Amino acid sequence: MAPPKGLREPHAPAEEDSESKAFFQSLRDFHSRRGTVLDVHSRVNGKHIDLFKLYNAVVKQGGYDKVSSEKLAWRQIGAQFNVGTTNAAAYAFALKTVYYKNLSAYELKTQHNQEPPPKEILENVTAKGGDLRNRTLENFKTPQRRETLTNGQESDSTGEEEIRTPKEERMDIDDPGSGAGRTTRGLRQAPPQRVLFQPDVSSSRQARHSSGHLRSPQPAHTSTTSGYAYSSSSNSANMPFGISSYEPTPLVPMKVTPLATPGNDPEQFQKDQAEFKKNQAREAGTIMPVKTPPKNAGMMKPGAGFDGPNIYIRTLLGLRCGIPAEVDYALHHLVKISHERGDKYKFEAFPGLAEGLMEKVLEVGNLFYDIKWEICYTEDDTKIHLLEGLFGTKDILERIMHLKRRDTSDELETPEFVHDLNKICEAGLVIRNMILLEDNAEYLADMAPIRDLICIVLNLPPDPRVNELQHYALEIAEEVTKYWSLDERDPVYISLLMQLESQDRGRILTALRALSRISMSLEDSNLLKGVPISSITRLCQFTLLDDEELIHASLDFLYQYTAVPENVALLLTHFSTIPLPAFLAELVRLLLYQAQQSVTKQLVSPAIPAVAATDIPDVPFDLLDQILKHDEPERSIHWLRACFEEDPESDITQIRLWQAYQARFTEFSTPLKPLLPAAEFIKNVSTTFTGANAQVVNGPVAKYTIKGIRPRHIPMDMKGRSFSRCLWKPLGAAKACGEFILKPQAMWEHVVTSHIGIPQDEEGRFNFAAASSSQQQPQDCCWAGCLHFARVGGVPSPYDVGMHMKTHLPDTSRKALLRQKQNRSAPTLTFPTGRKRKHDDDTVDTDVDVGGTEATYSYQIWRNTAVDERGDAAGLPLTSVLILRNLARNVPKASALLEGVARAKGEETWMEQLFGIHMKKLGFVMAHNRPLAGYVSNLFYCIEEGVFT
C-alpha cells in the first residue's frame, strides 16, 4: 500500500547537489532507453541503499566483474552501508542484486564504453556469477529451474530433460578427477568396508550446488506447472516413515519495492509518465498486439501444483515398475542415498525395496547362463529357474552345476551387456551399503532369497567382470551369517568354504569373517564341520606371513574350529599332512607379538640415612694446597664445599663454624690475603649453600646457628670427588690412621710405606723381594681389623701383605669390568651417606662405617602385549593363547575318539609331542607378560590335566 499523500520515503536519495542529480537523471534516461525498470528506493535488510554512493563504491574497486571475482568483496561493501552482520552472506547477495539490476548495465556503458548484454541475459536473470563484459547470448547458459521435492531436496530437472531418458553419468560418490567413469569396465569405487557413512550436516541445496557434477536423469513423464503449490509431505500425517527431515534454506528479508504514484511521489510519477509518453511517441507506428487470455484461463490441470512423491518413494516405485528408464533412474539415486543416508534408510520403511533389489541382482544369471532366475512364493518350484522364496532353495548348487554357459567373451562386450552388468552391480552395491545398518541386516537375514542370491553370485563362472559383484555378495554374507545357523550341507556354507581356496586376498578375508560370524547372534554353536583339510593347512600357513589382518582372520576361524573335539580329532588324524607342530610353535611366538618392553622398580629395603658427623674433617694437604691458591671469598667457598654438605634437618652454630675457619687458615693469612670478617663469612655460607640460612634460636641465651648444613664424614676435592680414609689400625692402637687420600694407588703406597715398612729404591719402586720379614712391622693385615693371615695360618712375607692390601682397594684398571664378570656374585656397592657420590676412575668410594646404607630395589622386566580399553589382553596374542588352550583341552578328548589310531609303545603322547618343547617359553610368557599371565596359567593347568589323564 502506498504511503499517504504528501509523505516521502524517509531515506530518499539525496539529489541536492548537482553531481548526484545529474547521475540520477542520466541513470533514468538510460533505463528508459533500455526498457528496464529503475528502483531508486532499493532496500537491503530494511535499510535504504543510495545508488549514487553504491555506484561510486563499486567503480572505485574496479567495477562489478572485479568485485564479484574477489572473495567477500560484496560483504566489505555491505559493511560500508551497514546492512547487517547476522546473515552477512544473504545481505551481501541482496546488495549485489541491487547493483546488478540497476547499475551493472549502466557501468558497462559509461565506464567501459561497451554495449551491455541484452536484458534477457542481464536484468531478467539472477545476479549469480560475473564476467558481464564477456557475456553473450551464445556463451551464456540460462540458469535452470529447480524442482523442490517434498522431502526438502531439490531436483535439477528442466523442460528439455523431461522428454529425455536417463543416461550414464558419473555419480557424486566418484572421486573428482579420478577418471572413474563408465567408459571402461572396472570396479566401482565403494565406501570403505564396514564403515558406516557419516552424513553431511549441510543443506542439500548447498551440497548439490558445490558438487559440480552433472544433473541426475529424470523420467520422461515428469512435469511441473505454475499454480498453487501444495506439498503432500507438508502434512505430518501423510508423510511416509523414514523420509529425511526438511532443512529450510536461510531466510532472506523480503524485498519490497515502492512504486512511484501520485500519492507518495507525485514528482517522480510525473517524470515517469512523461518518459513513457516520450517512448511511445518515439515508437510511433508500432502497435503491440493485445494478448487474449486462453480458454479455461486460471483453471488448474490435473496434477498441477503438486510436487509428487519424495525421492525415496519415487526411487522405490521406479525400481518396481519395470520400465528400464525408471529402473535406471532409481538405481542411480539409490546408490547415492544408500551411501549418504545409510544410517537412516531402512528396508522396513519401504516394503518391496529389498525384493526389487534382489530381483535386479538375480538378473546376472541371464548374462552368463541361459536362465532367468525368478523368486516363487508358492509350492510350484519344480522348474529349475524358480527359486523358493519362503525357505530357500536347498538344491541351488546342483541347479547351477547343470546350467549351460553363454558364450560371453571378455574381449568384446556389447553396450547392452555393459549396461545391464553395471546396473546389476549398482543394485548389489545398494544392498551392501544398506546392510551395514544392523536393522537392515536383521531384516534381510529373515528373507530366504538372500541365501540363493549369495550362492548364485559366488558360483558365477570365473570372470574378472564379476569380481566387484562377488565382493559385494561376500560383504553381504559377512553381515547376515551371524543370524543364521549353517551346517556342513548348507549351500551358503559350502559356497563360503570354496572361497578359502581363492587366490584373492580380499575374498579370503571376507569369507573367513563371514564363516567366523555364523550363529554369533544365536544360541547355537558354530561347529564349522566339513572344512577341507587343504583349507586348514592353508590357514595354518597364513600365520607365517607378515600380514596382520590375514593372520587375525585365520586365527579367529581356527579358534572356533579347535573348540570342537571332533575337529581336533580330524587334525590329529591328518597329523602328517597338517604342519601342527610348526603351527603351535608359531602360536607360541605370537604370544609376544609387538610386545612393549618395560621395567618396574620395586623397593626391597629402604635407605638408612648416615649418622651425622660430629667433627669437622681435616683437609688433606694436597687439597689444602689447591684451596690456598685462591683469594677470598673463593678460598672459603672451596673450604666449605670440601668439608660440609647440605642437610635440611641439620644445623651448626655460627661460632663453631667461624672458629674452624680461623683454625684452618690463620697461619696462612697475610696482610695481602686476610681472613674474611665474621659477618662476611656467615653471608658467604648462604651464598655457597642455597638451602642454608642464618637463624637465631630464642631462649635464656640466644643461640646463633646456620640451618641446612652439616660436616662431611669424608672431605671432597674441588672436582666433587670424595677422598678415602686410611683404615689401617695396628693391634693395640686406639683408632685407625685416618689420613685422607684421594687415589687408590696413593693409598696403597701410603700403607706400604707408612704401615708395612717397605722401603723404596732410588727410582721410587718398592723392592718387596729385598725386604725381609724382620723389616715388616706388622705380621698380618690390619686394614679395618682384617687379620686375613691369622685366619688362614702361616707367616706372610712383605710381598704377600702388600699384594693382599690391594684387595681392599677398588679396581680402577681397564680390566675391571671383565674381572667383575668373572666374579661369582655381582659387586655390592655401599654408600654410607645414603647417596651415590660422584667419582671417576681414579677415586675410591668412602668405606668408613657411619651407619648409612642405600635403598635396595628389585627390577622386573615386562614384555606386555596389546590390551583393550579395559586393560584386558587383545589382538593376536590373545587369540593365539585361546587356540593353545582349546588344543590342550580337546586333544585328550580327541585321543579318546581316535581309539583306532594306535601309538607305538614308549612313544610320546599327543600332549607331550605338541606342548613338551614349548613349556619353557610358555613359562617365560607367564612371568613377563601381565595381560596374558592368567591365560597362560590356565593353559598350564589344562596341559597338566591332559598329560596325566
Side-chain angles (χ1 to χ4, degrees), residues 456-481:
I456 291 173
V457 174
L458 293 183
N459 289 277
L460 287 173
D463 196 311
R465 294 171 293 183
V466 298
N467 283 343
E468 178 182 2
L469 184 61
Q470 289 180 331
H471 277 281
Y472 293 155
L474 286 171
E475 292 178 11
I476 293 170
E478 180 182 353
E479 298 298 329
V480 297
T481 52

PDB file of all heavy atoms in Angstrom, residues 456-481:
ATOM      1  N   ILE A 456      24.248 -67.903  -5.836  1.00  0.00           N
ATOM      2  CA  ILE A 456      24.299 -67.695  -7.286  1.00  0.00           C
ATOM      3  C   ILE A 456      25.451 -66.780  -7.656  1.00  0.00           C
ATOM      4  O   ILE A 456      26.200 -67.044  -8.609  1.00  0.00           O
ATOM      5  CB  ILE A 456      22.947 -67.117  -7.771  1.00  0.00           C
ATOM      6  CG1 ILE A 456      21.859 -68.184  -7.646  1.00  0.00           C
ATOM      7  CG2 ILE A 456      23.047 -66.622  -9.203  1.00  0.00           C
ATOM      8  CD1 ILE A 456      20.465 -67.670  -7.931  1.00  0.00           C
ATOM      9  N   VAL A 457      25.643 -65.698  -6.912  1.00  0.00           N
ATOM     10  CA  VAL A 457      26.707 -64.748  -7.256  1.00  0.00           C
ATOM     11  C   VAL A 457      28.080 -65.361  -7.004  1.00  0.00           C
ATOM     12  O   VAL A 457      28.997 -65.203  -7.824  1.00  0.00           O
ATOM     13  CB  VAL A 457      26.516 -63.440  -6.466  1.00  0.00           C
ATOM     14  CG1 VAL A 457      27.697 -62.501  -6.696  1.00  0.00           C
ATOM     15  CG2 VAL A 457      25.224 -62.748  -6.867  1.00  0.00           C
ATOM     16  N   LEU A 458      28.260 -66.059  -5.888  1.00  0.00           N
ATOM     17  CA  LEU A 458      29.571 -66.629  -5.574  1.00  0.00           C
ATOM     18  C   LEU A 458      29.935 -67.780  -6.505  1.00  0.00           C
ATOM     19  O   LEU A 458      31.128 -68.111  -6.613  1.00  0.00           O
ATOM     20  CB  LEU A 458      29.611 -67.102  -4.124  1.00  0.00           C
ATOM     21  CG  LEU A 458      29.519 -66.017  -3.048  1.00  0.00           C
ATOM     22  CD1 LEU A 458      29.635 -66.638  -1.664  1.00  0.00           C
ATOM     23  CD2 LEU A 458      30.590 -64.960  -3.243  1.00  0.00           C
ATOM     24  N   ASN A 459      28.959 -68.399  -7.134  1.00  0.00           N
ATOM     25  CA  ASN A 459      29.235 -69.533  -8.028  1.00  0.00           C
ATOM     26  C   ASN A 459      29.127 -69.142  -9.491  1.00  0.00           C
ATOM     27  O   ASN A 459      28.938 -70.020 -10.353  1.00  0.00           O
ATOM     28  CB  ASN A 459      28.274 -70.678  -7.719  1.00  0.00           C
ATOM     29  CG  ASN A 459      28.582 -71.350  -6.393  1.00  0.00           C
ATOM     30  OD1 ASN A 459      29.443 -72.223  -6.293  1.00  0.00           O
ATOM     31  ND2 ASN A 459      27.862 -70.931  -5.362  1.00  0.00           N
ATOM     32  N   LEU A 460      29.239 -67.863  -9.803  1.00  0.00           N
ATOM     33  CA  LEU A 460      29.295 -67.437 -11.199  1.00  0.00           C
ATOM     34  C   LEU A 460      30.580 -67.945 -11.841  1.00  0.00           C
ATOM     35  O   LEU A 460      31.577 -68.214 -11.146  1.00  0.00           O
ATOM     36  CB  LEU A 460      29.234 -65.912 -11.276  1.00  0.00           C
ATOM     37  CG  LEU A 460      27.876 -65.269 -10.979  1.00  0.00           C
ATOM     38  CD1 LEU A 460      28.023 -63.752 -10.920  1.00  0.00           C
ATOM     39  CD2 LEU A 460      26.838 -65.657 -12.011  1.00  0.00           C
ATOM     40  N   PRO A 461      30.622 -68.038 -13.145  1.00  0.00           N
ATOM     41  CA  PRO A 461      31.841 -68.507 -13.816  1.00  0.00           C
ATOM     42  C   PRO A 461      33.020 -67.588 -13.508  1.00  0.00           C
ATOM     43  O   PRO A 461      32.837 -66.388 -13.297  1.00  0.00           O
ATOM     44  CB  PRO A 461      31.464 -68.461 -15.305  1.00  0.00           C
ATOM     45  CG  PRO A 461      29.997 -68.496 -15.340  1.00  0.00           C
ATOM     46  CD  PRO A 461      29.530 -67.799 -14.102  1.00  0.00           C
ATOM     47  N   PRO A 462      34.223 -68.122 -13.441  1.00  0.00           N
ATOM     48  CA  PRO A 462      35.404 -67.270 -13.192  1.00  0.00           C
ATOM     49  C   PRO A 462      35.535 -66.210 -14.276  1.00  0.00           C
ATOM     50  O   PRO A 462      35.768 -66.518 -15.448  1.00  0.00           O
ATOM     51  CB  PRO A 462      36.575 -68.263 -13.221  1.00  0.00           C
ATOM     52  CG  PRO A 462      35.962 -69.605 -12.979  1.00  0.00           C
ATOM     53  CD  PRO A 462      34.585 -69.549 -13.574  1.00  0.00           C
ATOM     54  N   ASP A 463      35.339 -65.000 -13.906  1.00  0.00           N
ATOM     55  CA  ASP A 463      35.366 -63.894 -14.863  1.00  0.00           C
ATOM     56  C   ASP A 463      35.718 -62.625 -14.098  1.00  0.00           C
ATOM     57  O   ASP A 463      35.074 -62.310 -13.091  1.00  0.00           O
ATOM     58  CB  ASP A 463      34.002 -63.738 -15.550  1.00  0.00           C
ATOM     59  CG  ASP A 463      34.084 -62.875 -16.798  1.00  0.00           C
ATOM     60  OD1 ASP A 463      34.670 -61.769 -16.707  1.00  0.00           O
ATOM     61  OD2 ASP A 463      33.584 -63.284 -17.861  1.00  0.00           O
ATOM     62  N   PRO A 464      36.724 -61.887 -14.518  1.00  0.00           N
ATOM     63  CA  PRO A 464      37.099 -60.669 -13.779  1.00  0.00           C
ATOM     64  C   PRO A 464      35.998 -59.617 -13.750  1.00  0.00           C
ATOM     65  O   PRO A 464      36.015 -58.735 -12.894  1.00  0.00           O
ATOM     66  CB  PRO A 464      38.342 -60.162 -14.522  1.00  0.00           C
ATOM     67  CG  PRO A 464      38.287 -60.787 -15.870  1.00  0.00           C
ATOM     68  CD  PRO A 464      37.607 -62.109 -15.683  1.00  0.00           C
ATOM     69  N   ARG A 465      35.031 -59.707 -14.676  1.00  0.00           N
ATOM     70  CA  ARG A 465      33.979 -58.692 -14.715  1.00  0.00           C
ATOM     71  C   ARG A 465      32.988 -58.829 -13.564  1.00  0.00           C
ATOM     72  O   ARG A 465      32.242 -57.882 -13.283  1.00  0.00           O
ATOM     73  CB  ARG A 465      33.242 -58.772 -16.054  1.00  0.00           C
ATOM     74  CG  ARG A 465      34.091 -58.393 -17.244  1.00  0.00           C
ATOM     75  CD  ARG A 465      33.402 -58.681 -18.551  1.00  0.00           C
ATOM     76  NE  ARG A 465      33.217 -60.108 -18.779  1.00  0.00           N
ATOM     77  CZ  ARG A 465      32.689 -60.650 -19.882  1.00  0.00           C
ATOM     78  NH1 ARG A 465      32.276 -59.843 -20.847  1.00  0.00           N
ATOM     79  NH2 ARG A 465      32.569 -61.942 -20.006  1.00  0.00           N
ATOM     80  N   VAL A 466      32.961 -59.985 -12.903  1.00  0.00           N
ATOM     81  CA  VAL A 466      32.025 -60.168 -11.799  1.00  0.00           C
ATOM     82  C   VAL A 466      32.721 -60.101 -10.441  1.00  0.00           C
ATOM     83  O   VAL A 466      32.102 -60.386  -9.418  1.00  0.00           O
ATOM     84  CB  VAL A 466      31.278 -61.519 -11.949  1.00  0.00           C
ATOM     85  CG1 VAL A 466      30.468 -61.547 -13.214  1.00  0.00           C
ATOM     86  CG2 VAL A 466      32.266 -62.687 -11.907  1.00  0.00           C
ATOM     87  N   ASN A 467      34.000 -59.737 -10.427  1.00  0.00           N
ATOM     88  CA  ASN A 467      34.716 -59.642  -9.142  1.00  0.00           C
ATOM     89  C   ASN A 467      34.048 -58.639  -8.214  1.00  0.00           C
ATOM     90  O   ASN A 467      33.898 -58.881  -7.016  1.00  0.00           O
ATOM     91  CB  ASN A 467      36.170 -59.244  -9.385  1.00  0.00           C
ATOM     92  CG  ASN A 467      37.011 -60.407  -9.881  1.00  0.00           C
ATOM     93  OD1 ASN A 467      36.615 -61.562  -9.757  1.00  0.00           O
ATOM     94  ND2 ASN A 467      38.159 -60.102 -10.449  1.00  0.00           N
ATOM     95  N   GLU A 468      33.646 -57.508  -8.774  1.00  0.00           N
ATOM     96  CA  GLU A 468      33.018 -56.468  -7.948  1.00  0.00           C
ATOM     97  C   GLU A 468      31.738 -56.984  -7.321  1.00  0.00           C
ATOM     98  O   GLU A 468      31.505 -56.813  -6.108  1.00  0.00           O
ATOM     99  CB  GLU A 468      32.733 -55.239  -8.807  1.00  0.00           C
ATOM    100  CG  GLU A 468      32.051 -54.117  -8.059  1.00  0.00           C
ATOM    101  CD  GLU A 468      31.741 -52.936  -8.963  1.00  0.00           C
ATOM    102  OE1 GLU A 468      32.032 -53.010 -10.169  1.00  0.00           O
ATOM    103  OE2 GLU A 468      31.194 -51.947  -8.446  1.00  0.00           O
ATOM    104  N   LEU A 469      30.888 -57.607  -8.095  1.00  0.00           N
ATOM    105  CA  LEU A 469      29.619 -58.123  -7.588  1.00  0.00           C
ATOM    106  C   LEU A 469      29.845 -59.225  -6.560  1.00  0.00           C
ATOM    107  O   LEU A 469      29.128 -59.305  -5.549  1.00  0.00           O
ATOM    108  CB  LEU A 469      28.763 -58.628  -8.747  1.00  0.00           C
ATOM    109  CG  LEU A 469      27.354 -59.109  -8.409  1.00  0.00           C
ATOM    110  CD1 LEU A 469      26.540 -57.978  -7.797  1.00  0.00           C
ATOM    111  CD2 LEU A 469      26.650 -59.668  -9.634  1.00  0.00           C
ATOM    112  N   GLN A 470      30.838 -60.073  -6.772  1.00  0.00           N
ATOM    113  CA  GLN A 470      31.110 -61.147  -5.816  1.00  0.00           C
ATOM    114  C   GLN A 470      31.649 -60.609  -4.492  1.00  0.00           C
ATOM    115  O   GLN A 470      31.343 -61.150  -3.435  1.00  0.00           O
ATOM    116  CB  GLN A 470      32.097 -62.146  -6.436  1.00  0.00           C
ATOM    117  CG  GLN A 470      31.474 -62.973  -7.560  1.00  0.00           C
ATOM    118  CD  GLN A 470      32.449 -63.949  -8.170  1.00  0.00           C
ATOM    119  OE1 GLN A 470      33.659 -63.713  -8.180  1.00  0.00           O
ATOM    120  NE2 GLN A 470      31.945 -65.047  -8.704  1.00  0.00           N
ATOM    121  N   HIS A 471      32.422 -59.543  -4.544  1.00  0.00           N
ATOM    122  CA  HIS A 471      32.868 -58.916  -3.299  1.00  0.00           C
ATOM    123  C   HIS A 471      31.677 -58.344  -2.534  1.00  0.00           C
ATOM    124  O   HIS A 471      31.631 -58.424  -1.304  1.00  0.00           O
ATOM    125  CB  HIS A 471      33.888 -57.824  -3.599  1.00  0.00           C
ATOM    126  CG  HIS A 471      35.282 -58.321  -3.774  1.00  0.00           C
ATOM    127  ND1 HIS A 471      36.086 -58.648  -2.706  1.00  0.00           N
ATOM    128  CD2 HIS A 471      36.015 -58.587  -4.883  1.00  0.00           C
ATOM    129  CE1 HIS A 471      37.263 -59.066  -3.144  1.00  0.00           C
ATOM    130  NE2 HIS A 471      37.254 -59.035  -4.470  1.00  0.00           N
ATOM    131  N   TYR A 472      30.720 -57.757  -3.248  1.00  0.00           N
ATOM    132  CA  TYR A 472      29.518 -57.258  -2.580  1.00  0.00           C
ATOM    133  C   TYR A 472      28.763 -58.406  -1.917  1.00  0.00           C
ATOM    134  O   TYR A 472      28.268 -58.276  -0.790  1.00  0.00           O
ATOM    135  CB  TYR A 472      28.607 -56.556  -3.583  1.00  0.00           C
ATOM    136  CG  TYR A 472      29.171 -55.276  -4.148  1.00  0.00           C
ATOM    137  CD1 TYR A 472      28.765 -54.799  -5.389  1.00  0.00           C
ATOM    138  CD2 TYR A 472      30.117 -54.540  -3.446  1.00  0.00           C
ATOM    139  CE1 TYR A 472      29.284 -53.626  -5.913  1.00  0.00           C
ATOM    140  CE2 TYR A 472      30.634 -53.372  -3.961  1.00  0.00           C
ATOM    141  CZ  TYR A 472      30.221 -52.917  -5.198  1.00  0.00           C
ATOM    142  OH  TYR A 472      30.732 -51.747  -5.698  1.00  0.00           O
ATOM    143  N   ALA A 473      28.670 -59.550  -2.612  1.00  0.00           N
ATOM    144  CA  ALA A 473      27.956 -60.698  -2.046  1.00  0.00           C
ATOM    145  C   ALA A 473      28.658 -61.211  -0.787  1.00  0.00           C
ATOM    146  O   ALA A 473      27.999 -61.583   0.199  1.00  0.00           O
ATOM    147  CB  ALA A 473      27.864 -61.810  -3.092  1.00  0.00           C
ATOM    148  N   LEU A 474      29.997 -61.236  -0.783  1.00  0.00           N
ATOM    149  CA  LEU A 474      30.718 -61.684   0.405  1.00  0.00           C
ATOM    150  C   LEU A 474      30.520 -60.729   1.573  1.00  0.00           C
ATOM    151  O   LEU A 474      30.371 -61.155   2.726  1.00  0.00           O
ATOM    152  CB  LEU A 474      32.205 -61.814   0.080  1.00  0.00           C
ATOM    153  CG  LEU A 474      32.615 -63.019  -0.778  1.00  0.00           C
ATOM    154  CD1 LEU A 474      34.063 -62.916  -1.204  1.00  0.00           C
ATOM    155  CD2 LEU A 474      32.399 -64.321  -0.013  1.00  0.00           C
ATOM    156  N   GLU A 475      30.507 -59.440   1.299  1.00  0.00           N
ATOM    157  CA  GLU A 475      30.289 -58.476   2.377  1.00  0.00           C
ATOM    158  C   GLU A 475      28.859 -58.558   2.906  1.00  0.00           C
ATOM    159  O   GLU A 475      28.616 -58.349   4.098  1.00  0.00           O
ATOM    160  CB  GLU A 475      30.592 -57.071   1.860  1.00  0.00           C
ATOM    161  CG  GLU A 475      32.067 -56.872   1.558  1.00  0.00           C
ATOM    162  CD  GLU A 475      32.353 -55.494   0.998  1.00  0.00           C
ATOM    163  OE1 GLU A 475      31.446 -54.637   1.042  1.00  0.00           O
ATOM    164  OE2 GLU A 475      33.473 -55.257   0.506  1.00  0.00           O
ATOM    165  N   ILE A 476      27.910 -58.857   2.025  1.00  0.00           N
ATOM    166  CA  ILE A 476      26.532 -59.079   2.483  1.00  0.00           C
ATOM    167  C   ILE A 476      26.480 -60.316   3.381  1.00  0.00           C
ATOM    168  O   ILE A 476      25.841 -60.309   4.449  1.00  0.00           O
ATOM    169  CB  ILE A 476      25.596 -59.218   1.276  1.00  0.00           C
ATOM    170  CG1 ILE A 476      25.496 -57.887   0.510  1.00  0.00           C
ATOM    171  CG2 ILE A 476      24.208 -59.663   1.714  1.00  0.00           C
ATOM    172  CD1 ILE A 476      24.788 -58.002  -0.821  1.00  0.00           C
ATOM    173  N   ALA A 477      27.170 -61.387   2.966  1.00  0.00           N
ATOM    174  CA  ALA A 477      27.192 -62.608   3.784  1.00  0.00           C
ATOM    175  C   ALA A 477      27.845 -62.361   5.132  1.00  0.00           C
ATOM    176  O   ALA A 477      27.419 -62.917   6.154  1.00  0.00           O
ATOM    177  CB  ALA A 477      27.932 -63.711   3.025  1.00  0.00           C
ATOM    178  N   GLU A 478      28.852 -61.521   5.174  1.00  0.00           N
ATOM    179  CA  GLU A 478      29.529 -61.222   6.436  1.00  0.00           C
ATOM    180  C   GLU A 478      28.585 -60.588   7.455  1.00  0.00           C
ATOM    181  O   GLU A 478      28.721 -60.815   8.661  1.00  0.00           O
ATOM    182  CB  GLU A 478      30.705 -60.280   6.172  1.00  0.00           C
ATOM    183  CG  GLU A 478      31.488 -59.898   7.406  1.00  0.00           C
ATOM    184  CD  GLU A 478      32.604 -58.925   7.097  1.00  0.00           C
ATOM    185  OE1 GLU A 478      32.842 -58.660   5.895  1.00  0.00           O
ATOM    186  OE2 GLU A 478      33.221 -58.419   8.047  1.00  0.00           O
ATOM    187  N   GLU A 479      27.611 -59.809   6.974  1.00  0.00           N
ATOM    188  CA  GLU A 479      26.691 -59.120   7.880  1.00  0.00           C
ATOM    189  C   GLU A 479      25.490 -59.974   8.283  1.00  0.00           C
ATOM    190  O   GLU A 479      24.884 -59.717   9.324  1.00  0.00           O
ATOM    191  CB  GLU A 479      26.195 -57.830   7.225  1.00  0.00           C
ATOM    192  CG  GLU A 479      27.300 -56.823   6.910  1.00  0.00           C
ATOM    193  CD  GLU A 479      28.014 -56.344   8.153  1.00  0.00           C
ATOM    194  OE1 GLU A 479      27.363 -56.279   9.219  1.00  0.00           O
ATOM    195  OE2 GLU A 479      29.213 -56.039   8.073  1.00  0.00           O
ATOM    196  N   VAL A 480      25.120 -60.984   7.493  1.00  0.00           N
ATOM    197  CA  VAL A 480      23.888 -61.732   7.785  1.00  0.00           C
ATOM    198  C   VAL A 480      24.144 -63.106   8.360  1.00  0.00           C
ATOM    199  O   VAL A 480      23.231 -63.714   8.934  1.00  0.00           O
ATOM    200  CB  VAL A 480      23.019 -61.852   6.509  1.00  0.00           C
ATOM    201  CG1 VAL A 480      22.579 -60.493   6.029  1.00  0.00           C
ATOM    202  CG2 VAL A 480      23.751 -62.601   5.406  1.00  0.00           C
ATOM    203  N   THR A 481      25.377 -63.658   8.220  1.00  0.00           N
ATOM    204  CA  THR A 481      25.606 -65.023   8.714  1.00  0.00           C
ATOM    205  C   THR A 481      25.481 -65.120  10.234  1.00  0.00           C
ATOM    206  O   THR A 481      25.252 -66.216  10.760  1.00  0.00           O
ATOM    207  CB  THR A 481      27.002 -65.515   8.289  1.00  0.00           C
ATOM    208  OG1 THR A 481      27.980 -64.537   8.667  1.00  0.00           O
ATOM    209  CG2 THR A 481      27.066 -65.751   6.800  1.00  0.00           C
TER     210      THR A 481
END
